[in-house]
Amino acid sequence: MKKFLSYVGIFSLSLILLAGGIEYMLRQVPNPLAYKRCLLEKNTLNLKTLIIGSSVVNCSINPVFLSDSTYNLAISGEWFRFNQALLEKHIDKMPSLKFVIWGICFHSLWTDDCEEVDESSLINHKIYMDITREEDYFHNVELPYLGSLALRKWSKYYIQRKPTVFCDSLGLDHSYDHIYKSARWLEDIPRMVRNQHKPILADKDSKLY
C-alpha cells in the first residue's frame, strides 16, 4: 500500500510540476494585452490622445496620421466595461491627456451584458492588464480555467513558432495585413468572428441568420 501511495504521490507531483511549468511558460508568450499595457505605462506622462475600444479601431485607426503622442490601445473583442476600467485605472496618471477616441462596435450595444461569461477576457485582463471585474482566485491562472485555449496559445508560440503579437510601436494591430493572411482570408472572416464571440453564440436561445 505504501508503495502504491508513493507512486500516486510521485505521479501527482509530476502533473503539478508539469502544469506549473506550462503556466509559467504561458506568461512568457507575447500577447496584445501585455504589449499594450507596457506601451501605456511607458508613455503615461506624454500620452496626449488615447484610442480605446474593440476591433473596429484596433486594426483601423493608425496613430501615425494623428497628432504626436497618440497611441492605439484598443483590443479586439474588448467589452465596454474593460474600456471603462482601463480609463478609471490610468486617467489620473496621464497629465498630458487631451483626447480619448472610443471606438464602439455596433453589436456591443446589446451584448456587453455577456461579458461576465467571457472567461478568456476576464482572465487575460486580470493577468496581463491588472483589470478585474470581479474577485476570483482562478482568474490569476490560465491553464486550469481556459484549458484547451491556453494549450493552443502555448502550442502556437512554442511548437508552431508563429507570431502572437502584430502591434507596432504605436499600438496599431497589423494582424489583418495581407502579408499575414492567406488569399482566402476575406472568406474566413465570418468564422473568425464566430470564434471571437463564442460566449454570445453559445447561448442556447440564440439564433444565427
Side-chain angles (χ1 to χ4, degrees):
M1 187 63 177
K2 290 183 178 179
K3 193 172 184 179
F4 172 75
L5 292 177
S6 297
Y7 287 144
V8 170
I10 293 173
F11 179 73
S12 300
L13 180 61
S14 299
L15 288 180
I16 292 173
L17 291 175
L18 176 62
I22 294 177
E23 183 71 30
Y24 173 80
M25 294 175 73
L26 285 170
R27 304 298 177 88
Q28 314 310 310
V29 177
N31 64 83
L33 286 87
Y35 180 85
K36 294 199 174 187
R37 176 185 178 181
C38 181
L39 197 61
L40 173 61
E41 293 177 348
K42 182 179 179 181
N43 297 280
T44 297
L45 297 179
N46 63 2
L47 193 152
K48 296 179 181 178
T49 302
L50 175 64
I51 302 171
I52 59 175
S54 57
S55 55
V56 293
V57 290
N58 179 38
C59 305
S60 61
I61 299 183
N62 192 341
V64 168
F65 299 107
L66 301 176
S67 60
D68 292 340
S69 300
T70 297
Y71 294 89
N72 188 333
L73 300 181
I75 303 289
S76 292
E78 191 163 54
W79 305 91
F80 280 166
R81 284 176 280 181
F82 283 129
N83 298 153
Q84 178 185 352
L86 178 71
L87 281 176
E88 292 174 348
K89 181 177 178 63
H90 295 282
I91 195 167
D92 291 335
K93 305 173 187 176
M94 297 185 285
S96 301
L97 183 66
K98 295 181 178 180
F99 306 103
V100 174
I101 300 174
W102 196 333
I104 299 175
C105 187
F106 73 94
H107 67 75
S108 298
L109 297 174
W110 63 83
T111 59
D112 198 51
D113 288 338
C114 298
E115 175 239 346
E116 298 300 335
V117 300
D118 189 355
E119 295 176 350
S120 178
S121 288
L122 291 171
I123 293 171
N124 285 327
H125 278 81
K126 171 61 178 177
I127 294 175
Y128 298 110
M129 301 197 83
D130 194 27
I131 294 175
T132 182
R133 301 301 307 178
E134 61 181 34
E135 292 299 329
D136 189 323
Y137 173 77
F138 286 103
H139 289 171
N140 293 290
V141 290
E142 291 185 70
L143 185 59
Y145 222 132
L146 299 183
S148 61
L149 287 175
L151 290 176
R152 283 202 294 270
K153 170 186 170 182
W154 182 88
S155 174
K156 181 178 181 179
Y157 184 71
Y158 290 106
I159 304 299
Q160 302 176 50
R161 299 293 182 178
K162 293 183 178 180
T164 53
V165 176
F166 299 90
C167 302
D168 61 26
S169 60
L170 297 178
L172 180 66
D173 192 329
H174 293 273
S175 59
Y176 284 90
D177 289 7
H178 72 279
I179 61 173
Y180 299 116
K181 296 296 179 183
S182 67
R184 297 183 58 187
W185 73 274
L186 282 173
E187 299 175 19
D188 291 336
I189 288 180
R191 175 185 57 79
M192 295 167 60
V193 171
R194 286 196 297 270
N195 289 338
Q196 289 176 353
H197 302 286
K198 282 182 178 178
I200 301 169
L201 302 176
D203 187 339
K204 63 180 181 181
D205 296 324
S206 66
K207 296 181 180 180
L208 298 178
Y209 297 95

